Amino acid sequence: MKYYLTLLSLVFFMTSNAFSQEKVVKYKVSSGETINQIAQKFKVTPYDIYQLNPDARTGITPNSVLLIPTKNGEAKKEEAAKPKTVVSSGKEVIHEVQPKETFYSIEKKYGVSDEALKAANPFLEKTGVQIGQKLVIPAKGSAPKTVAKPAKEKGAEKYLYHDVQPKETKFGIAKQYNMTVEELEKRNPDIVANLPVGYRLTIKGTAPKTESAPTETAKAVESKKPVETSKKAVSYMEYQVKPKETFYSLGRVFHLSQDELIALNPSLSEGVKEGMVLKVPAGYVAPAPIIAAQVPAEKTADSSNSKSVETTGGGIKIVDKVKSTDNSNAEIVELSKKRGANERKKVVLLLPFNVSKIQSDTTGTGNRIKNDKFLNMTLDFYAGAMMAIDSAKTLKLPIDVAIYDSQETKTTSNISSLVSKLQDADAVVGPFYQNNAEATANILRMYNVPVISPLSKDIANPIENLYQSIPANDVIKNAVFDYMRSKNGNIVAVVDKKKESVINYIKQNQRGVAFASLTETGGLDAANLKSLLIPNRMNYVVMETGNTAMIKATIKAMLDSQKTCQVQLVILEPNSTLDTDEISFDNLVKLKLMYPSVTRESDEQSVLIYEKQYRLKNKANPTTYATRGFDVTFDTMMRLVQGKTFQETADMMTTQQVDNKFQYYRKEDGGHANKGVYILYYDSDLTLKVAN
């Protein structure tokens, strides 16, 4: 697939070049420049530059040459001209400050001290380093022309530097270095308006409390604390804006404010546009949507290419060519690695590769992978499952894994032909479609083989050996109401007349919930909502509407009520209207928007290890389906090595993997379902947290 993409890019490049020989100029990249900055110089888009320079998508390096498209073949010379370092005398040099340069980088480049640079350019004490400034660089070893401040008896004060990390605030940084916010802003005037991620701050004063020598230079500290320094290193990646994305949705994915996004990408000052290529902090994985509707898996790379599979006897079996990876997992119950390990266990994965269809597809495998969303979802799930299998190998779990092609559609599968290979399994994960999972459970019921349905959200029929791993919609809703009642909350519902199913659900299942009155036109009666709120008690307002005017009215009424009452905004299911620029994200944070979710966001070490290993193996970030494949597969294997059957562990243990929680329970009519739900809310620091 990569070959096809490379060939297509080459053809496209040659075609573009043939039609624009007279309309491009060559530009030499300066140190620290980005594609966005260069595009802004020439008043073109990053996409225009990438058309002529396909390799630039993987990054640009100083002194590399780019082809830049221009209007009428004329480049703006004053914009294209590179700033020069001008020698003004035998000793002093004039340096023009470039984007992203700091005190530290300039001093390091020329080998001069901080005191010497400031003595030669006294205005730096007030203004700090500004892009375009012309600085006098004193010769190496020269003494400052004037000494503005007498040297202290204990030695001249030295400086530390701090690279701003996502989620950090000026207050938090100032506190870390025993400074005030005012002192921090005085030392770094560029951050008065906002605090850009990746900006290198000049810190005056003592080092963080974790450092042993507060007066050492940053270089000295780095040499003594390599591990801590590496945590502060900021790397970036490029991200292409997808249709309908907004400042709010981008900010939620990358944990950046609108100002921080614009600081990193000046072109955003004109608004978010589809196709824009943005500079964002590397290492962030887009979370499962929490307000917008469920997004289908996207194939940013062919993760299946890193796996080796072969078809044998109508099935697929693992070819052991994949490197093992170490992957710890955060769990509510600590599952031991080898308890009861005398007997080997067998796990079977039934995945809908539909190999026969792929082989008979005349359009080719590449087109099939590119256009078939269901196949993409399957390959993502498979990639995650392979990560789980690798982890089991590393832990030396006594487990054998077999993978078979279930050849399934919504109405058919080949499960009946695989019975002889399934009846001795200790657990079967799959098939994907609900009716096929139920058919498999019915076939294997006489062999007492548990069947775990990995992806279906449908309510399962009562089959004793069937385990529904995704919580049903009503279970998800029940979880948030149970939480609100556990906090002795006063629950008020604001529900649009069009949401009849929600109204019926609350009336039938959640007694004691008061409904706010609506006006004759269907709008919210704000006065009535306020009258239902109780002082000295947490008031949860459950809002279910897609009407922008009703949402704004509800939010305003709640904000007004914060003066006299405790209020928190709650939604029961995804609401795409909240994901638009018409609704203030700041207001949602003020009201600590809360909602139930089957997945979480976490920066725990075990989660970061999984994400890193997945990227190394598959050259792409894990999708929701990939992480689901890992979680279900690894959870199943770990349950089987506890010296108990899968059924026994399901009745006894609640576990937590990368994204998903597994809390199985026996349904009254038979079978098992999962009620592992997270209650998430936006905290005042703009991060998502799990409510206790």
Side-chain angles (χ1 to χ4, degrees):
M1 182 178 176
K2 292 180 180 177
Y3 168 77
Y4 295 138
L5 293 176
T6 304
L7 181 61
L8 184 62
S9 299
L10 180 61
V11 172
F12 189 78
F13 168 70
M14 293 173 64
T15 305
S16 300
N17 199 33
F19 283 98
S20 57
Q21 290 178 353
E22 300 300 322
K23 297 183 180 181
V24 298
V25 295
K26 293 182 179 179
Y27 178 76
K28 198 170 184 180
V29 178
S30 299
S31 177
E33 279 193 307
T34 66
I35 288 293
N36 280 325
Q37 290 169 341
I38 297 171
Q40 198 170 31
K41 273 187 180 181
F42 289 94
K43 299 188 183 304
V44 297
T45 67
Y47 179 73
D48 296 329
I49 297 177
Y50 287 134
Q51 280 187 303
L52 295 179
N53 307 270
D55 291 341
R57 289 185 179 276
T58 60
I60 55 177
T61 57
N63 299 320
S64 60
V65 177
L66 298 177
L67 296 177
I68 309 295
T70 61
K71 296 180 181 178
N72 302 321
E74 296 179 0
K76 296 193 175 182
K77 295 181 180 179
E78 67 276 11
E79 292 180 330
K82 282 191 64 176
K84 297 180 180 179
T85 301
V86 182
V87 178
S88 60
S89 69
K91 292 184 178 181
E92 293 183 343
V93 172
I94 304 300
H95 173 84
E96 185 174 339
V97 178
Q98 300 301 301
K100 295 180 71 176
E101 285 192 312
T102 63
F103 280 114
Y104 177 70
S105 63
I106 295 170
E107 290 158 7
K108 185 177 181 181
K109 179 177 181 179
Y110 292 99
V112 297
S113 67
D114 191 72
E115 293 82 0
L117 183 65
K118 290 183 173 65
N121 304 272
F123 58 87
L124 288 176
E125 289 287 353
K126 291 184 179 180
T127 65
V129 173
Q130 308 267 351
I131 297 174
Q133 281 178 333
K134 294 208 173 13
L135 304 180
V136 176
I137 308 297
K140 292 183 181 180
S142 63
K145 295 179 180 178
T146 55
V147 180
K149 297 178 182 179
K152 297 179 181 179
E153 293 180 3
K154 295 183 180 179
E157 184 178 38
K158 297 182 180 181
Y159 297 87
L160 289 171
Y161 301 91
H162 178 95
D163 291 329
V164 178
Q165 303 296 300
K167 303 182 186 180
E168 285 193 311
T169 64
K170 286 187 276 190
F171 175 78
I173 296 171
K175 185 177 180 181
Q176 183 180 6
Y177 291 94
N178 298 323
M179 320 170 57
T180 65
V181 173
E182 291 73 18
E183 289 172 335
L184 186 66
E185 291 179 339
K186 184 177 180 181
R187 174 56 54 188
N188 304 273
D190 291 343
I191 69 167
V192 172
N194 59 73
L195 186 65
V197 173
Y199 186 90
R200 173 156 284 189
L201 297 171
T202 301
I203 304 297
K204 182 178 181 180
T206 58
K209 295 177 181 178
T210 55
E211 307 288 357
S212 58
T215 58
E216 290 181 321
T217 61
K219 187 174 182 180
V221 174
E222 286 171 4
S223 66
K224 291 188 177 184
K225 298 284 185 179
V227 176
E228 293 182 16
T229 302
S230 66
K231 290 181 181 178
K232 292 185 177 295
V234 179
S235 57
Y236 296 93
M237 66 180 185
E238 290 181 341
Y239 175 84
Q240 189 167 20
V241 176
K242 298 179 178 59
K244 298 184 180 181
E245 286 196 301
T246 62
F247 276 117
Y248 165 69
S249 60
L250 292 171
R252 193 182 71 223
V253 170
F254 298 107
H255 301 290
L256 299 175
S257 67
Q258 181 171 328
D259 289 340
E260 289 170 336
L261 283 166
I262 293 174
L264 286 173
N265 305 276
S267 58
L268 283 175
S269 58
E270 298 179 3
V272 178
K273 298 176 183 177
E274 179 183 345
M276 295 175 87
V277 178
L278 305 181
K279 174 185 175 183
V280 297
Y284 285 98
V285 181
I290 48 90
I291 293 178
Q294 182 77 14
V295 179
E298 293 186 17
K299 203 68 181 172
T300 54
D302 182 10
S303 58
S304 66
N305 287 344
S306 62
K307 316 292 178 305
S308 296
V309 297
E310 61 183 18
T311 56
T312 57
I316 292 182
K317 74 175 185 180
I318 302 168
V319 178
D320 192 10
K321 294 181 181 178
V322 188
K323 295 179 181 179
S324 296
T325 57
D326 184 19
N327 189 45
S328 305
N329 283 272
E331 298 162 353
I332 294 175
V333 171
E334 184 66 31
L335 296 179
S336 67
K337 299 176 183 178
K338 296 182 181 179
R339 189 188 314 161
N342 295 330
E343 180 184 352
R344 295 190 68 80
K345 302 294 183 179
K346 178 181 177 181
V347 173
V348 174
L349 303 183
L350 297 176
L351 305 181
F353 293 105
N354 291 303
V355 172
S356 58
K357 289 184 179 180
I358 296 175
Q359 291 174 338
S360 62
D361 193 336
T362 57
T363 62
T365 304
N367 284 329
R368 181 86 179 190
I369 292 175
K370 183 177 180 181
N371 299 318
D372 191 330
K373 291 183 178 179
F374 187 72
L375 177 58
N376 271 262
M377 178 185 70
T378 302
L379 292 174
D380 283 343
F381 188 96
Y382 171 69
M386 289 300 294
M387 291 286 294
I389 293 167
D390 285 345
S391 297
K393 290 179 183 178
T394 301
L395 296 172
K396 297 182 179 179
L397 300 182
I399 290 182
D400 299 317
V401 181
I403 302 176
Y404 297 105
D405 184 358
S406 59
Q407 297 183 26
E408 63 179 298
T409 65
K410 288 184 178 180
T411 56
T412 63
S413 75
N414 70 335
I415 304 303
S416 58
S417 65
L418 297 173
V419 174
S420 61
K421 299 176 181 179
L422 305 178
Q423 62 190 32
D424 63 340
D426 293 285
V428 172
V429 176
F432 281 7
Y433 285 113
Q434 179 67 28
N435 60 318
N436 292 331
E438 291 181 0
T440 303
N442 273 321
I443 292 174
L444 297 177
R445 181 162 49 180
M446 62 183 295
Y447 303 106
N448 199 29
V449 176
V451 175
I452 296 94
S453 176
L455 290 177
S456 174
K457 297 180 181 178
D458 297 338
I459 298 176
N461 286 315
I463 305 173
E464 186 61 28
N465 60 324
L466 180 62
Y467 294 78
Q468 200 78 3
S469 67
I470 292 186
N473 287 333
D474 280 3
V475 171
I476 296 172
K477 293 174 185 174
N478 290 343
V480 74
F481 278 99
D482 290 344
Y483 171 81
M484 292 186 290
R485 288 198 172 90
S486 73
K487 299 298 181 181
N488 191 32
N490 175 47
I491 307 173
V492 179
V494 176
V495 186
D496 196 319
K497 290 180 179 178
K498 297 178 182 179
K499 298 275 188 177
E500 291 184 11
S501 61
V502 177
I503 295 173
N504 291 335
Y505 162 77
I506 294 176
K507 287 183 176 179
Q508 294 171 13
N509 300 282
Q510 306 298 337
R511 308 241 169 176
V513 176
F515 283 84
S517 300
L518 305 180
T519 64
E520 293 181 358
T521 58
L524 172 68
D525 185 339
N528 178 259
L529 171 59
K530 293 178 182 178
S531 70
L532 296 174
L533 305 179
I534 302 174
N536 302 320
R537 192 172 167 190
M538 176 56 77
N539 295 274
Y540 296 104
V541 177
V542 179
M543 180 184 69
E544 287 300 315
T545 177
N547 184 291
T548 303
M550 182 178 285
I551 291 173
K552 287 184 174 180
T554 304
I555 290 174
K556 184 179 184 306
M558 293 180 68
L559 291 174
D560 291 343
S561 301
Q562 280 187 325
K563 299 173 184 177
T564 56
C565 297
Q566 289 180 287
V567 291
Q568 187 165 6
L569 181 62
V570 181
I571 57 174
L572 302 178
E573 52 193 11
N575 188 335
S576 59
T577 308
L578 297 183
D579 200 11
T580 65
D581 290 332
E582 291 187 75
I583 306 301
S584 168
F585 179 57
D586 288 341
N587 286 339
L588 298 179
V589 172
K590 288 177 183 177
L591 296 174
K592 294 193 173 183
L593 175 66
M594 183 169 72
Y595 58 91
S597 174
V598 297
T599 61
R600 61 170 180 164
E601 289 186 31
S602 173
D603 56 2
E604 292 177 1
Q605 188 64 24
S606 57
V607 176
L608 298 178
I609 290 173
Y610 159 76
E611 293 171 352
K612 178 181 178 181
Q613 294 292 348
Y614 187 95
R615 282 192 293 271
L616 288 173
K617 180 183 291 292
N618 299 289
K619 312 304 180 189
N621 286 327
T623 65
T624 302
Y625 295 110
T627 304
R628 184 78 190 164
F630 175 88
D631 284 357
V632 174
T633 305
F634 193 78
D635 184 75
T636 301
M637 292 190 295
M638 288 300 288
R639 287 179 182 274
L640 291 177
V641 296
Q642 303 308 305
K644 302 178 184 298
T645 64
F646 185 92
Q647 293 93 322
E648 289 173 329
T649 64
D651 292 337
M652 297 168 55
M653 299 175 178
T654 296
T655 63
Q656 183 170 280
Q657 305 301 337
V658 175
D659 270 357
N660 299 271
K661 184 192 297 184
F662 298 95
Q663 187 176 2
Y664 290 110
Y665 68 98
R666 287 181 179 271
K667 300 192 298 182
E668 292 181 1
D669 56 355
H672 295 74
N674 183 16
K675 60 178 180 180
V677 178
Y678 297 102
I679 308 299
L680 306 179
Y681 71 96
Y682 280 102
D683 206 351
S684 54
D685 61 359
L686 306 184
T687 61
L688 270 174
K689 292 184 178 175
V690 178
N692 294 322

